Amino acid sequence: MMSRKTKNQLQPEFPISTINHNQASEAVVPESVKNCSHQILLLVDGSSYLYRAFHAFPPLSNSKGEPTGAIYGVLNMLRRLFLQYSPQNMAIVFDAPGETFRSALFSEYKAHRPSMPDDLRAQIAPLHHILSAMGLPLLVVEGVEADDVIGTLAKDAEKAGYEVVISTGDKDMAQLVSPHITLINTMNDKTLDPDGVCEKFGVPPDLIVDLLALMGDSADNIPGVPGIGEKTAQALLQGMGGLDKLFDHLDKIADLSFRGARTLAEKLIKHQEQAYLSRQLATIKTDVSLDNIRCDELQVCPPQIDELKKLFSHYEFKTYLADVEAGKWPATHLNSKSSKNNPISSSTDPLKAIFSTDDYETILNEERWFVWLERLKKASLFAIDTETDGLDTKTAHLIGISFAVAPGKAAYLPLGHDYPEAPAQLNRDKVLALFKPLLEDPQALKVGQNLKFDQSLLANYGIKLQGIAFDTMLESYVFNSVAGRHDMDSLSERHLNHKTLSFEDIAGKGKNQLTFNQIPLEQAAIYAAEDADVTLRLHLALWPKLKENPDLMKVLQEIEMPLLSVLSRMERTGVMIDPDILLNHSKELQLRLTELEKKAHDIAGETFNLNSTQQLQTILYEKQTLPVLKKTPKGAPSTNEAVLAELALDYPLPKIILEHRSLTKLKTTYTDKLPLMIHPLSGRVHTSYHQAVTSTGRLSSRDPNLQNIPVRNEEGRRIRHAFIAPRGYQIVAADYSQIELRIMAHLSQDQGLLNAFSEGQDIHLITAAEVFGLPVSQVSAQQRRSAKAINFGLIYGMSAFGLARQLNVSRFEAERYMNLYFTHYPKVLDYMQRTREEAVKNGYVTTLEGRRLYLADIHSKNANRRKAAEREAINAPMQGTAADIIKRAMIHIDFWLQQEEQKLAPKQKSRVNLIMQVHDELVFEVHDSVLKSATDKIRELMEKSTQNLLLKVDIGFGNNWEQAH
């Protein structure tokens, strides 16, 4: 059985958009290029690629200790370009070492940049060697920058009748754009034609240098005119024209209708020389002497296969080596499918395509299977979905597979329907053997709904599903996490206005519900084919929406999609549990529960069911006449946890009830249940991680829920003793220290907080000293605890009333503490106000990565709900950013672990396994022999998972999770 409602939860080589070659590329290619009859020249800013790859990748190296991350990244970027453009004419241009003419003009030009890291410098020569062996034209010209070489080639090619595409992330290049010269930024898949330049920069391409002359460029240390920023520069150029016109008509600037225009003429006169120097520095040369290199000479040559094999083997790029040996790459660009022939381009409107089952097919013989197999091989993207007889991927059997190659063009391949009248079906093993190469082909692009399930299932059949380009559940979740459920049925109604055939419609309900193998094929085939058809249509509806926002696209491509495969591996690995520890704990909990029940009865003066809300209401409010603090929607006095917690401050019975509830939950949820969840095949517990549930981007887990095991009381921590390491291994727990406070420091840019973290100070101690006006040495333990409550309370948007309750002080005193806090950390208050305004204006806030966190009640007429949304707005960016950070860390660590696993001998067990993620903590099994080196690597990858944010990771280890923590 596999219901769409249940089965709803990319696998590029590494998780950054620049290397995700598993993507449909139709919409990325500019119209002028797609539709042109002229030759295309592709110019690649190699230096830009090199630095991006170096900073995006963890510090990878081969077994000889030679750094390889930047090389690997650049090659992946190029692979993606090949898939998009199939270039015949191209050049990769790098900066030459040494000074350029700009340094002679202005000694401070790029002077603030740090020197090239040794690990990066060491990769330049090997990269050039590999690119040459690939047959790619490589240019390095002394005395000028790569930009100038590219500018010269672009203009020469344009005159010669070429359509030119420049692949770069450098905004300076926008000055080169014309009707026949287009930019593509591989980081966000955005292309810039003349209209795009105007939209992005507010001025046309021929005024870009004037824009930079006025506003300057901090990246290159171009000074510009002090006091003129981007908006002012745009307004000046839009109102007057270029730099020359500004200085020719200084008297007219004051008449421009924008704020501050009257004072600008004086600034321009004062800094005229600097403005023209800045324009000269920003202007890309288009007349560099290139020794008569002609565009038609910049041709991609056949690769030197033997040399590439040698190089890829030396640098241990096993995937590339396998591709070369299989003839797939780098020759990909010579035979890849042209996006112009894509039958399902993103311009297709899935809402206009009529839903019909007329073109659904059931594949029952080899002849039709071979036809469909060829059709799938030729498709630029196809949807895939598996049907099973259960939801446990470790024991479920594959009953069939469905595919769709275009809206309405779908098929179902039955492999295991076994009801008495079932027709003969193809042999599952034989079909999978033929299908496996395509399923494992990273260049055969696939889309699915909750493909983590399918990937885990197919792994049981020895198939490593690759080429995962899109997952519609994740596309919907990234687009708007709180818009509704992200299962296929809900998404179909929301985005396609189509109600799908439900599983209950074909399988029945309740105890007599059929499993999928028992469902008649005529019904099963339509249901399964519709799965694939709807999935493809959903992608065609969602992807264009995501592409409108580069940040959302980045979150999907760099975080959620690669995480899919990481979670699949974690779930399949599972965690070891000692059932005897839990059994003994459960017995002790039962004794304690019996004692608490007796105490409650003694205080009440009679026996009653502690778990009965109605009986508890009678005892507390009628017989003991406790004050009614809150009522339920039906008017009955409330017995919820918050109410009991407040009553427990003054009355003994509510306190006992709370403890009884807490221990009952521990016993029923964990100590009783976990031993029953040990899988019979693996001897481990396998949770299921969900990516598309929480509003903030955090992962959740279920069956069992490992995210909610209490850590603040002894009984909860005891449960962690049962999470044990295998013989010869240790449990390693790596936890981000005070991550949300560090994010607050970064988001607010409050210097006091930033200094405290950068200097490794105790932030709660420092805050206590500031708030209570004491030297650090005189701060008491209680004052530090109060400061900790303030620090964490404020990042959760806590009010003075809430803080007063937390600290057990008056509201006046709490307000005084908050005022003192904001006096010492003023930019925190600025951040909170700014964030509230952003939330009210947009209806959402964003994480550092650009993930949007929508706030449904931010405009609510109900004041309480609106205030709650405002508090949520303050914390959501921190919680969401923390989620993004640990997800990136998991991806980087998994990439490293996959590399390490490739070095193992056949059947040799992994020495490091990532087994759990719990909020800001990652848990591993690490072999004793690599404990020191592995923990060092884990710390390094976690602390460097996000640029420009000072992170600290605490790591512990032991025989069980509690010891490690």
Side-chain angles (χ1 to χ4, degrees):
M1 176 186 67
M2 179 47 56
S3 165
R4 297 188 193 103
K5 288 180 168 54
T6 308
K7 181 186 173 290
N8 283 287
Q9 265 290 303
L10 170 116
Q11 183 157 303
E13 296 284 342
F14 196 77
I16 57 174
S17 66
T18 52
I19 65 165
N20 181 3
H21 51 274
N22 296 334
Q23 293 190 25
S25 55
E26 165 103 7
V28 178
V29 181
E31 290 299 321
S32 61
V33 173
K34 283 195 289 187
N35 300 323
C36 80
S37 58
H38 303 292
Q39 285 183 287
I40 298 168
L41 175 64
L42 177 61
L43 299 174
V44 177
D45 186 348
S47 295
S48 171
Y49 270 33
L50 190 65
Y51 272 94
R52 286 184 175 197
F54 180 75
H55 290 294
F57 275 68
L60 307 177
S61 61
N62 63 6
S63 59
K64 303 173 186 63
E66 297 168 324
T68 60
I71 301 172
Y72 190 86
V74 171
L75 295 180
N76 269 297
M77 294 176 183
L78 290 174
R79 171 181 278 192
R80 178 171 181 161
L81 278 179
F82 291 160
L83 287 170
Q84 290 172 334
Y85 290 99
S86 303
Q88 301 298 315
N89 295 80
M90 72 176 295
I92 305 177
V93 188
F94 288 88
D95 289 326
E99 300 292 319
T100 70
F101 73 93
R102 291 184 179 85
S103 304
L105 286 171
F106 183 51
S107 61
E108 296 301 309
Y109 180 70
K110 294 188 178 181
H112 65 303
R113 291 191 180 183
S115 59
M116 181 180 290
D118 291 339
D119 277 1
L120 177 56
R121 184 179 291 106
Q123 297 181 67
I124 294 176
L127 175 61
H128 287 186
H129 192 173
I130 292 172
L131 295 176
S132 297
M134 289 169 61
L136 306 180
L138 189 65
L139 295 177
V140 180
V141 180
E142 292 184 5
V144 293
E145 297 179 52
D147 292 8
D148 303 307
V149 178
I150 290 172
T152 300
L153 289 172
K155 292 300 181 182
D156 288 349
E158 182 181 34
K159 293 174 185 175
Y162 283 81
E163 292 292 332
V164 181
V165 177
I166 302 174
S167 181
T168 182
D170 191 344
K171 64 178 178 292
D172 297 5
M173 293 276 199
Q175 65 189 269
L176 300 174
V177 170
S178 74
H180 302 289
I181 300 176
T182 309
L183 303 188
I184 177 173
N185 185 340
T186 54
M187 291 298 284
N188 57 24
D189 275 353
K190 285 290 186 182
T191 59
L192 284 182
D193 57 11
D195 290 340
V197 172
C198 288
E199 182 180 350
K200 181 177 177 66
F201 297 104
V203 296
D206 61 325
L207 290 181
I208 289 293
V209 290
D210 299 281
L211 182 71
L212 295 170
L214 291 170
M215 61 181 276
D217 185 352
S218 59
D220 290 340
N221 214 28
I222 295 176
V225 176
I228 294 183
E230 183 177 7
K231 296 297 183 185
T232 302
Q234 288 173 346
L236 279 170
L237 297 175
Q238 291 165 359
M240 300 283 292
L243 202 63
D244 293 336
K245 289 185 178 179
L246 285 174
F247 284 104
D248 288 343
H249 302 285
L250 289 168
D251 57 320
K252 295 183 178 179
I253 293 177
D255 298 332
L256 295 176
S257 58
F258 63 88
R259 187 177 179 182
R262 293 183 179 182
T263 64
L264 289 179
E266 184 179 346
K267 289 181 181 179
L268 288 169
I269 293 170
K270 184 177 179 179
H271 299 285
Q272 180 173 359
E273 185 177 342
Q274 188 166 300
Y276 277 101
L277 171 63
S278 297
R279 186 169 74 168
Q280 194 174 0
L281 293 171
T283 300
I284 294 174
K285 288 177 66 68
T286 57
D287 57 354
V288 174
S289 176
L290 297 177
D291 297 328
N292 297 318
I293 293 176
R294 300 196 314 271
C295 301
D296 56 4
E297 293 176 336
L298 298 174
Q299 294 184 349
V300 177
C301 300
Q304 302 169 34
I305 297 299
D306 291 340
E307 185 67 13
L308 278 179
K309 288 181 181 179
K310 177 182 174 183
L311 289 165
F312 289 162
S313 178
H314 176 85
Y315 291 106
E316 298 171 7
F317 297 153
K318 295 187 177 181
T319 301
Y320 295 155
L321 181 60
D323 283 351
V324 171
E325 290 175 340
K328 292 182 181 178
W329 197 69
T332 303
H333 60 288
L334 299 178
N335 56 20
S336 65
K337 307 172 186 75
S338 170
S339 60
K340 289 187 285 185
N341 298 322
N342 185 352
I344 51 169
S345 73
S346 59
S347 62
T348 303
D349 187 346
L351 291 174
K352 292 180 181 178
I354 298 172
F355 271 93
S356 170
T357 63
D358 292 348
D359 288 331
Y360 289 179
E361 180 176 350
T362 306
I363 305 170
L364 291 172
N365 59 62
E366 285 191 357
E367 180 183 358
R368 294 307 300 165
W369 168 231
F370 286 129
V371 169
W372 267 95
L373 190 57
E374 287 304 310
R375 191 175 293 176
L376 295 173
K377 288 178 181 178
K378 292 177 181 178
S380 55
L381 176 75
F382 64 87
I384 184 169
D385 183 62
T386 57
E387 300 295 348
T388 66
D389 59 359
L391 300 176
D392 179 356
T393 56
K394 295 189 74 65
T395 57
H397 299 96
L398 180 64
I399 304 304
I401 309 175
S402 58
F403 340 92
V405 294
K409 306 291 184 181
Y412 177 56
L413 176 63
L415 298 171
H417 291 264
D418 55 8
Y419 56 94
E421 300 83 16
Q425 296 151 64
L426 295 175
N427 179 273
R428 179 162 49 203
D429 293 339
K430 186 176 180 181
V431 164
L432 292 181
L434 291 168
F435 203 9
K436 181 177 180 178
L438 187 62
L439 292 173
E440 294 187 338
D441 186 351
Q443 295 175 32
L445 307 183
K446 305 161 188 82
V447 59
Q449 167 81 12
N450 186 23
L451 278 172
K452 176 163 66 72
F453 180 93
D454 306 87
Q455 187 175 52
S456 297
L457 175 76
L458 290 171
N460 298 335
Y461 293 87
I463 295 171
K464 184 179 180 181
L465 184 64
Q466 296 189 84
I468 299 176
F470 305 99
D471 188 305
T472 50
M473 180 186 73
L474 298 180
E475 287 179 300
S476 171
Y477 179 67
V478 170
F479 182 65
N480 187 338
S481 63
V482 297
R485 289 167 57 99
H486 304 285
D487 60 282
M488 183 187 294
D489 292 347
S490 301
L491 295 181
S492 180
E493 289 199 51
R494 189 152 74 240
H495 296 288
L496 305 178
N497 298 324
H498 172 69
K499 183 172 178 57
T500 56
L501 182 66
S502 75
F503 186 74
E504 287 76 13
D505 289 339
I506 62 171
K509 299 180 181 180
K511 64 179 182 179
N512 295 321
Q513 187 179 65
L514 302 175
T515 53
F516 204 80
N517 55 303
Q518 299 170 325
I519 296 172
L521 197 53
E522 309 82 60
Q523 296 174 297
I526 294 175
Y527 173 90
E530 185 188 52
D531 272 1
D533 186 15
V534 168
T535 296
L536 186 58
R537 294 178 194 242
L538 282 172
H539 165 65
L540 297 177
L542 288 165
W543 182 238
K545 297 177 182 179
L546 286 165
K547 292 193 69 175
E548 291 175 1
N549 187 298
D551 286 337
L552 294 184
M553 199 162 62
K554 182 181 73 171
V555 169
L556 177 72
Q557 294 176 332
E558 297 185 16
I559 298 177
E560 298 300 345
M561 292 303 295
L563 187 69
L564 180 159
S565 298
V566 179
L567 297 178
S568 173
R569 280 187 280 275
M570 285 176 61
E571 291 176 1
R572 282 180 277 137
T573 300
V575 60
M576 284 188 67
I577 300 288
D578 187 329
D580 294 333
I581 291 176
L582 292 171
L583 178 63
N584 292 331
H585 192 186
S586 203
K587 291 177 180 178
E588 293 176 19
L589 286 175
Q590 185 56 58
L591 291 174
R592 178 64 181 151
L593 287 169
T594 302
E595 291 175 4
L596 290 170
E597 193 171 17
K598 185 177 183 304
K599 279 187 180 181
H601 294 165
D602 289 344
I603 293 173
E606 61 180 279
T607 60
F608 67 97
N609 183 353
L610 274 66
N611 297 315
S612 167
T613 299
Q614 189 172 0
Q615 291 185 39
L616 189 58
Q617 288 169 340
T618 301
I619 293 292
L620 291 178
Y621 299 114
E622 294 180 17
K623 298 195 173 181
Q624 296 217 326
T625 64
L626 270 58
V628 177
L629 304 180
K630 186 179 179 181
K631 292 188 176 183
T632 68
K634 293 185 177 180
S638 174
T639 60
N640 69 25
E641 189 169 337
V643 168
L644 292 180
E646 190 166 345
L647 291 171
L649 296 173
D650 300 307
Y651 304 97
L653 185 54
K655 184 175 181 180
I656 290 173
I657 299 297
L658 281 176
E659 186 178 356
H660 188 276
R661 284 184 181 181
S662 174
L663 296 184
T664 299
K665 184 176 181 180
L666 283 181
K667 185 175 184 296
T668 57
T669 306
Y670 296 110
T671 60
D672 287 351
K673 192 174 181 181
L674 280 176
L676 303 177
M677 302 185 78
I678 297 175
H679 205 285
L681 295 179
S682 66
R684 288 172 167 254
V685 170
H686 302 267
T687 188
S688 177
Y689 288 99
H690 296 279
Q691 286 177 263
V693 173
T694 70
S695 62
T696 60
R698 279 188 179 272
L699 293 173
S700 64
S701 73
R702 190 175 64 188
D703 299 327
N705 181 354
L706 301 180
Q707 308 277 1
N708 287 345
I709 299 175
V711 294
R712 295 184 180 179
N713 61 63
E714 182 182 351
E715 296 297 346
R717 289 194 299 272
R718 281 188 62 189
I719 292 173
R720 296 188 173 211
H721 283 282
F723 288 70
I724 59 174
R727 187 187 300 268
Y729 286 75
Q730 296 275 299
I731 294 292
V732 170
D735 194 5
Y736 280 113
S737 172
Q738 300 174 337
I739 187 169
E740 291 190 8
L741 287 175
R742 291 171 183 271
I743 294 168
M744 166 66 91
H746 180 85
L747 291 174
S748 68
Q749 285 296 293
D750 187 276
Q751 205 56 50
L753 286 178
L754 290 171
N755 290 342
F757 283 121
S758 65
E759 294 167 9
Q761 297 175 344
D762 181 335
I763 189 65
H764 303 313
L765 198 64
I766 296 298
T767 299
E770 299 283 8
V771 169
F772 297 109
L774 296 170
V776 170
S777 59
Q778 294 181 22
V779 172
S780 68
Q782 179 57 47
Q783 287 171 325
R784 184 186 180 278
R785 283 193 290 273
S786 296
K788 183 176 181 179
I790 295 170
N791 276 326
F792 284 109
L794 290 179
I795 68 173
Y796 282 94
M798 186 180 287
S799 64
F801 177 74
L803 184 62
R805 291 180 59 186
Q806 178 118 350
L807 297 179
N808 197 24
V809 298
S810 69
R811 183 169 181 174
F812 172 80
E813 192 71 1
E815 284 181 347
R816 190 173 71 85
Y817 289 163
M818 291 177 67
N819 290 335
L820 286 169
Y821 180 94
F822 290 132
T823 298
H824 290 287
Y825 302 124
K827 287 198 174 181
V828 172
L829 184 61
D830 292 344
Y831 162 78
M832 294 170 71
Q833 183 59 36
R834 194 170 64 245
T835 303
R836 287 192 193 97
E837 291 171 359
E838 176 190 344
V840 172
K841 177 184 176 182
N842 299 324
Y844 61 83
V845 289
T846 58
T847 68
L848 274 177
E849 296 281 2
R851 185 191 297 272
R852 288 185 178 181
L853 310 172
Y854 285 88
L855 303 157
D857 292 327
I858 197 65
H859 297 123
S860 174
K861 293 181 180 179
N862 182 305
N864 289 333
R865 294 174 67 176
R866 188 173 64 253
K867 291 293 184 185
E870 289 177 2
R871 291 193 296 272
E872 185 184 351
I874 294 168
N875 177 249
M878 286 172 280
Q879 192 174 119
T881 296
D884 289 341
I885 287 171
I886 201 164
K887 285 179 176 180
R888 278 199 181 274
M890 293 168 70
I891 295 162
H892 291 176
I893 288 169
D894 180 75
F895 181 75
W896 162 60
L897 294 180
Q898 295 303 302
Q899 280 196 317
E900 292 300 303
E901 195 164 308
Q902 290 179 3
K903 300 174 185 177
L904 299 177
K907 297 186 179 181
Q908 186 179 359
K909 291 184 178 179
S910 299
R911 296 179 180 274
V912 182
N913 291 312
L914 174 57
I915 58 172
M916 285 190 291
Q917 187 273 337
V918 180
H919 302 313
D920 303 325
E921 178 182 9
L922 297 180
V923 184
F924 304 82
E925 292 172 346
V926 180
H927 195 271
D928 293 336
S929 64
V930 296
L931 187 60
K932 175 64 168 62
S933 60
T935 52
D936 288 346
K937 187 69 173 180
I938 289 167
R939 177 180 280 108
E940 176 189 6
L941 292 175
M942 288 181 70
E943 291 184 345
K944 293 183 178 179
S945 66
T946 300
Q947 299 291 324
N948 304 320
L949 189 58
L950 185 64
L951 300 173
K952 184 176 183 294
V953 173
D954 295 326
I955 295 185
F957 59 88
N959 294 323
N960 60 62
W961 188 11
E962 175 59 20
Q963 286 181 4
H965 199 267

